[in-house]
Amino acid sequence: MSLNEERNNPVNLGALYQDIILDHQKDPRHFGKLEEPDMQAEGFNPMCGDRVSVQVKLDDDHKMVVGQAFSGEGCSICMASASMMTEELEGASVEHTLAQIKNFREVMQGLKPETSLDGDLEALVGVKKFPVRIKCALLPWTTLKSAIDECPVIKQYKEQSKKDQDK
Amino acid sequence: MSMAKKEVSSRMKSLEVEKIRDDFPILKRKVNGRALAYLDNAASMQKPQVVLNQIQEFYSQHYSNVHRSGHTLSVEATDLYEAVRPKVKNFIGAGSNEEIIFTKGTTEAINLVAHSWARQQLKEGDRIVISRMEHHANFVPWQVLAKELKLQVDIAELDEDFRLNLDDYKKLLARGPKLVALSMMSNVLGGINPVKELTDLAHEAGAVILLDGAQFVIHQQTKLEQLGQPDFLVFSSHKIGGPSGTGVLNASKKRLGEMSPYQYGGDMILEVRDDRITFNEPPHMFEAGTPNMAGVVGMGAAIDYLESIGFEKIEAIESELTQKAMEALVSLDALELVGPKSLDSRGPVFSFVIKGIHPHDLGTILDSHGVAARAGHHCAQPLHFKQKLPASTRASFCFYNTEEEIDQLVVAIQEARKFFR
């Protein structure tokens, strides 16, 4: 199919704006700020002006998530994706979260089957049909990834375990 | 005019627009199963067939490098390329061909002035005046230069109707700026500035003025004399129906004498020895390297095309379109217009926000209806930050757009509201 023919077909907006997505957009979970987060980062999409900030609180061992919040301003896809992400974070380990971020990114980029997503997140696979919107869905997750990567305690922890391995 | 007469004139106009639309092959395209309503003209305009033909002919019949070789093709290519200079000169009513410098576009033209004129002429403590409505292309070069040379950039603010605040502008001029750089028409707000007055005031204050005509030149006739003889005027080919990657810097003779080369290389020199260089004369001095030849030749065809329609007709079509689009948009109760509501000195560019719908979501829904509009900050972040808007949606029309396309836009907006109720 030529580019023109493909683009000439009508678009199914319902695939993008599923009820679950609109529900998260209207009633975002964990929207706000934490008082003393262990990890935080801000993500920005200069093309559309989406801005998301993600905060996470960890337990004393810095292994498990005990609190999470997001704030910012963006389109429904970005906000719904952030809201769903914070639900996934609930009680998760940092390690599991990193794996989930990778999984979500790979599904959105078409590297993994859509069935690799479950729960509310499944609703976001419709975004794949709208290539310019994939970035919107990914922004909260890449922001969370940089929050984890930039977290001093996690960095220290990683370096230590690398040293232990080298020994 | 009586109602009946108005009706007849309106119908005649729409017949004329139908004829004009036949000149633009892409306007017949379907997008997402709908007829394309191309409302992103402020970002870039579509190309008439005559421009496409001219480019094709240039490449298939006359292609060679310009200003270099003595063979027939090179002479033909040079003639075609250089024939565009007087065309542009007449288009804007400039004094001579040497005042017309071909650039990559508006952005490069402004950067050229920043580098070749401002960097040489301004010194620490000097001031530059710009306005709140500037595109990044007329914002960032001055910010960067100011940082480098320790200059002060003053921003003239807007009034409540999103027009340039003249009192603020005069106040900033009283501080004795060396340079004023202003857009003639905002790419977000759609308002057209009182350019002659702004130029005269700048000159009275002893400042040099650069006018960014990127948005303006497609909507109204542009003649330097009516603009108060600005020192610099810049615009892009792709926004007037010509190819992208081409644009114009018009510099007055006086300013040309104060400018040094922009880039160094082929075509901009007369003689190079191991230990000395003689630069070429303007405008070639500012056109180093092989230029976008087909782009310039195509721009010439675009200018011919615009002049064949005539700005009288273009302005008549667009003023009706502006009025109808304004009526249709402001009647939508959730819509907040980001731009002047009055129709005087206003072009058919409409940015807006719809309560409860993010512009990016609206953009997707418009697209699904075949409506090409832009969602974002339109390369004017300082304006959006000042208005506390993360983004807006922009529908920008030109003389080939129709009332049916306004309806298509309105229906799509209403559809979007159903989704996000």
Side-chain angles (χ1 to χ4, degrees):
Chain A
M1 202 160 30
S2 80
L3 192 62
N4 267 18
E5 284 166 28
E6 195 180 322
R7 299 274 187 269
N8 281 352
N9 293 330
V11 169
N12 178 10
L13 283 173
L16 180 64
Y17 296 119
Q18 296 184 29
D19 290 345
I20 299 175
I21 291 180
L22 296 175
D23 175 61
H24 275 272
Q25 186 236 353
K26 273 181 207 140
D27 176 24
R29 329 299 198 247
H30 307 107
F31 191 87
K33 296 234 158 148
L34 298 181
E35 288 212 344
E36 285 178 347
D38 294 299
M39 315 195 284
Q40 58 181 335
E42 195 178 352
F44 181 54
N45 179 352
M47 198 186 119
C48 57
D50 285 352
R51 200 181 283 276
V52 175
S53 133
V54 177
Q55 296 182 316
V56 177
K57 180 130 190 79
L58 299 175
D59 66 354
D60 293 342
D61 298 335
H62 297 107
K63 286 193 176 156
M64 303 295 286
V65 174
V66 293
Q68 66 278 352
F70 84 97
S71 56
E73 218 166 346
C75 66
S76 63
I77 301 302
C78 178
M79 293 291 109
S81 178
S83 171
M84 291 176 191
M85 182 184 80
T86 56
E87 284 203 313
E88 296 294 319
L89 269 171
E90 230 167 292
S93 69
V94 173
E95 221 177 324
H96 175 73
T97 301
L98 281 169
Q100 269 202 308
I101 295 170
K102 188 164 176 276
N103 184 50
F104 184 74
R105 198 178 45 215
E106 289 177 353
V107 172
M108 294 314 282
Q109 291 170 342
L111 302 169
K112 258 188 165 179
E114 295 177 359
T115 47
S116 313
L117 292 181
D118 47 24
D120 286 3
L121 284 177
E122 251 178 85
L124 284 170
V125 297
V127 177
K128 282 177 62 190
K129 294 198 186 73
F130 298 80
V132 294
R133 306 302 298 277
I134 292 174
K135 265 198 287 188
C136 311
L138 281 176
L139 183 66
W141 299 76
T142 52
T143 308
L144 176 61
K145 175 81 166 60
S146 40
I148 297 174
D149 290 346
E150 285 156 25
C151 172
V153 198
I154 303 257
K155 259 192 202 165
Q156 223 176 10
Y157 180 72
K158 265 193 192 160
E159 274 161 27
Q160 190 57 45
S161 65
K162 197 167 174 269
K163 267 186 211 160
D164 291 346
Q165 271 177 12
D166 290 347
K167 264 181 204 170
Chain B
M1 210 188 299
S2 75
M3 280 307 275
K5 261 190 183 165
K6 212 169 178 179
E7 193 81 339
V8 171
S9 125
S10 192
R11 213 174 312 133
M12 268 170 62
K13 250 180 239 143
S14 76
L15 284 174
E16 273 170 348
V17 172
E18 282 314 313
K19 224 173 106 225
I20 288 170
R21 288 178 73 82
D22 282 342
D23 298 334
F24 293 81
I26 205 169
L27 298 180
K28 295 184 177 70
R29 237 202 90 164
K30 277 198 159 27
V31 169
N32 297 324
R34 311 289 182 103
L36 166 69
Y38 186 77
L39 305 183
D40 198 15
N41 294 287
S44 201
M45 189 188 154
Q46 297 299 349
K47 319 302 171 201
Q49 188 65 50
V50 285
V51 168
L52 307 177
N53 290 349
Q54 181 75 341
I55 296 167
Q56 161 103 8
E57 196 190 305
F58 180 73
Y59 277 123
S60 57
Q61 297 298 320
H62 312 288
Y63 184 76
S64 178
N65 210 328
V66 292
H67 305 140
R68 281 159 174 81
S69 317
H71 57 77
T72 303
L73 287 186
S74 178
V75 171
E76 286 177 10
T78 304
D79 285 350
L80 284 166
Y81 178 84
E82 285 302 327
V84 182
R85 236 181 270 278
K87 216 166 260 180
V88 173
K89 182 198 82 171
N90 295 335
F91 182 62
I92 60 171
S96 68
N97 290 344
E98 66 171 0
E99 294 171 24
I100 307 300
I101 298 160
F102 294 134
T103 66
K104 257 169 32 183
T106 299
T107 300
E108 191 185 46
I110 295 173
N111 276 277
L112 200 161
V113 174
H115 181 91
S116 299
W117 185 82
R119 191 192 295 279
Q120 320 304 322
Q121 302 297 322
L122 305 187
K123 53 181 194 316
E124 186 174 342
D126 283 346
R127 306 184 90 96
I128 298 174
V129 173
I130 57 173
S131 86
R132 178 59 61 192
M133 68 178 80
E134 299 313 315
H135 185 282
H136 293 164
N138 200 25
F139 215 108
V140 182
W142 310 121
Q143 282 179 307
V144 171
L145 192 70
K147 207 164 176 197
E148 203 178 304
L149 300 184
K150 300 196 173 73
L151 313 170
Q152 173 69 43
V153 177
D154 293 320
I155 303 168
E157 298 294 347
L158 309 181
D159 64 19
E160 286 128 42
D161 196 31
F162 298 93
R163 305 273 185 182
L164 186 70
N165 184 329
L166 275 178
D167 290 335
D168 200 37
Y169 178 62
K170 287 178 194 161
K171 208 173 73 198
L172 296 179
L173 286 181
R175 296 181 186 169
K178 289 277 158 55
L179 174 68
V180 172
L182 296 173
S183 65
M184 299 169 70
M185 170 179 173
S186 163
N187 71 314
V188 178
L189 309 168
I192 293 170
N193 282 323
V195 180
K196 175 147 195 328
E197 191 182 355
L198 300 180
T199 305
D200 289 346
L201 285 167
H203 281 159
E204 279 162 30
V208 161
I209 184 164
L210 175 147
L211 295 179
D212 172 357
Q215 282 303 321
F216 181 85
V217 290
I218 187 62
H219 299 298
Q220 289 184 17
Q221 189 166 62
T222 307
K223 296 288 179 200
L224 295 178
E225 201 186 349
Q226 288 154 20
L227 305 176
Q229 299 290 357
D231 300 84
F232 301 105
L233 171 72
V234 297
F235 64 92
S236 294
S237 153
H238 74 98
K239 286 190 165 82
I240 61 168
S244 62
T246 306
V248 171
L249 163 62
N250 157 246
S252 71
K253 238 185 192 131
K254 185 151 184 229
R255 298 309 151 212
L256 281 175
E258 297 169 347
M259 288 161 72
S260 58
Y262 175 52
Q263 290 180 328
Y264 305 96
D267 219 18
M268 57 79 63
I269 43 89
L270 286 179
E271 191 182 44
V272 186
R273 300 295 184 91
D274 287 359
D275 56 352
R276 60 179 188 274
I277 318 153
T278 315
F279 294 129
N280 204 335
E281 296 290 313
H284 307 292
M285 181 186 182
F286 303 103
E287 294 176 10
T290 295
N292 185 348
M293 300 174 289
V296 168
V297 169
M299 172 167 69
I303 290 174
D304 286 343
Y305 177 76
L306 292 179
E307 286 178 338
S308 76
I309 298 176
F311 275 94
E312 205 178 316
K313 195 182 281 177
I314 289 174
E315 286 180 39
I317 293 170
E318 288 195 356
S319 102
E320 195 169 316
L321 207 53
T322 305
Q323 188 195 332
K324 297 238 156 94
M326 178 71 89
E327 282 167 9
L329 289 173
V330 298
S331 72
L332 296 168
D333 55 1
L335 184 141
E336 190 191 323
L337 194 69
V338 185
K341 285 204 176 69
S342 59
L343 289 168
D344 324 325
S345 303
R346 200 196 196 294
V349 174
F350 300 89
S351 293
F352 51 85
V353 265
I354 307 280
K355 226 178 279 166
I357 310 179
H358 191 276
H360 215 182
D361 289 317
L362 183 61
T364 296
I365 295 173
L366 296 186
D367 188 45
S368 77
H369 281 251
V371 177
R374 182 166 168 185
H377 49 65
H378 322 301
C379 297
Q381 284 183 354
L383 172 66
H384 279 79
F385 282 124
K386 182 81 180 179
Q387 299 297 329
K388 297 194 169 60
L389 298 170
S392 58
T393 303
R394 179 182 69 191
S396 52
F397 298 77
C398 88
F399 56 80
Y400 52 55
N401 288 120
T402 63
E403 274 180 58
E404 287 75 22
E405 289 172 316
I406 299 174
D407 296 340
Q408 200 174 336
L409 169 69
V410 168
V411 167
I413 292 173
Q414 283 161 341
E415 177 85 356
R417 293 203 62 203
K418 278 184 210 155
F419 262 101
F420 290 94
R421 221 183 338 233

